[in-house]
Amino acid sequence: MLAVKPIASGEVLFVVPRPAVLSHSNTDIHQLLTTESLSLRSRSRWVPLLLTLMYESSHLDSPWAPYIALWPNFVQADLPMFWPRDERRELLRGTGVVQATAQDLQNIRKEFRTVVAPFLSRHTDLFEPERSNLELYMRLVAFVMAYSFQESRGGKKRNPPVMVPMADMLNHTTNHNAQLEFSQDVLKMVAVRAIADGEEVFNTYGQLANSQLLHMYGFTEPGSTNPNDTARVPWITLLRSALHGQGPKERKLLRRKWRLLSQLTAVDEGIMVGWHGVHSAGKLEQVLKVLSMPKAQFGVQNAGKELGNTQGALEASADVEAGTEANFGTTFGA
Ligand SMILES: C[S@@+](CC[C@H](N)C(=O)[O-])C[C@H]1O[C@@H](n2cnc3c(N)ncnc32)[C@H](O)[C@@H]1O
């Protein structure tokens, strides 16, 4: 979307009334989805919207048909989840996207098998059996992943995703010039700074690292233009460096410490390093304290005390992350 004249900061670019937002509460099968809501519960909380899209996209007389027709068969997203597995492993090694995508695929298949397929088989009058399959479901998940919005509810809590026509035309950049505001009756796209004639109107999908953008949206911000970018250093790298040049006794002690750290899940997804240093530096500090603790001092009690602090540091860093949560798209099942 390009500006065709200068736009002032604070100007409303367009307004989407709530009835024009596509969600599970705005479809002909709303009543059915409500009646069966208990059986449609899942980790992702996306099932009602995905079933809504499946239903509305199979009815030519749907009021949403002109919107849905913009994505014939929902085949548009070049997300890593559709790349051949070997290519993903080879090209995305070390980014965390390989594991995240594998987890997504596992969750999507399980959700389809245990929640969606039983629902579809109970309602063959509403869903064409030959079309309503896992393959379509995966394309719908990708569509929701890359095009939906989620309204934050009082801090951490998030509503289920919804489709917001028009707002979902906007691309993302960290240095965005517009953002979506939610109010009771309408959603408004508002300029957050002056936009020049001919400039692209950019929304924000959140403060996302390139690995997250690639995982959920299939693109990255080039070079060093993404201040939210991170690199992930696997924890095992830390153990390897600690072991380096040590004698057998020290190595044995280090391995004991590592087992304890692993059991207490202090070493999980890796050390995230951003432009301004290590994210959750508190956790790294506590792990280093345990690793460098003299043998006489090392015991479950001492290590446990350090790791108790680690939990505190972890919770604090989770709060910071929740405060900067994206309002646009999420990883499946997060
Ligand atoms: C909500 S849609 C935005 C509208 C989209 N460009 C379209 O025409 O349908 C999100 C998708 O747009 C693309 N996209 C958004 N921002 C981008 C950017 N800065 N660079 C490249 N592609 C981008 C990605 O394919 C992403 O999955």
Side-chain angles (χ1 to χ4, degrees), residues 1-23:
M1 185 180 286
L2 301 177
V4 292
K5 58 174 192 172
I7 297 169
S9 177
E11 207 171 304
V12 175
L13 302 176
F14 56 86
V15 174
V16 183
R18 289 269 180 188
V21 171
L22 175 52
S23 74

Side-chain angles (χ1 to χ4, degrees), residues 70-71 76-79 142-143 145-149 167-174 200 202-203 205 213 216-222 328:
L70 295 171
W71 297 276
Q76 38 41 60
D78 182 19
L79 303 186
F143 177 58
M145 197 179 262
Y147 282 78
S148 69
F149 287 75
D168 61 13
M169 279 177 63
L170 297 189
N171 285 334
H172 160 95
T173 182
T174 299
E200 180 164 356
F202 280 108
N203 184 17
Y205 302 172
L213 287 172
M216 297 186 280
Y217 304 99
F219 74 95
T220 59
E221 296 198 67
F328 189 93

Side-chain angles (χ1 to χ4, degrees), residues 14-16 18 21 164 180-183 185-189:
F14 56 86
V15 174
V16 183
R18 289 269 180 188
V21 171
V164 187
L180 194 65
E181 291 182 0
F182 294 79
S183 62
D185 300 325
V186 294
L187 281 56
K188 286 182 198 166
M189 190 61 74

Side-chain angles (χ1 to χ4, degrees), residues 55-66 68-69 128:
Y55 175 80
E56 296 294 346
S57 64
S58 65
H59 289 78
L60 292 176
D61 57 348
S62 160
W64 303 103
I68 288 171
E128 304 158 42

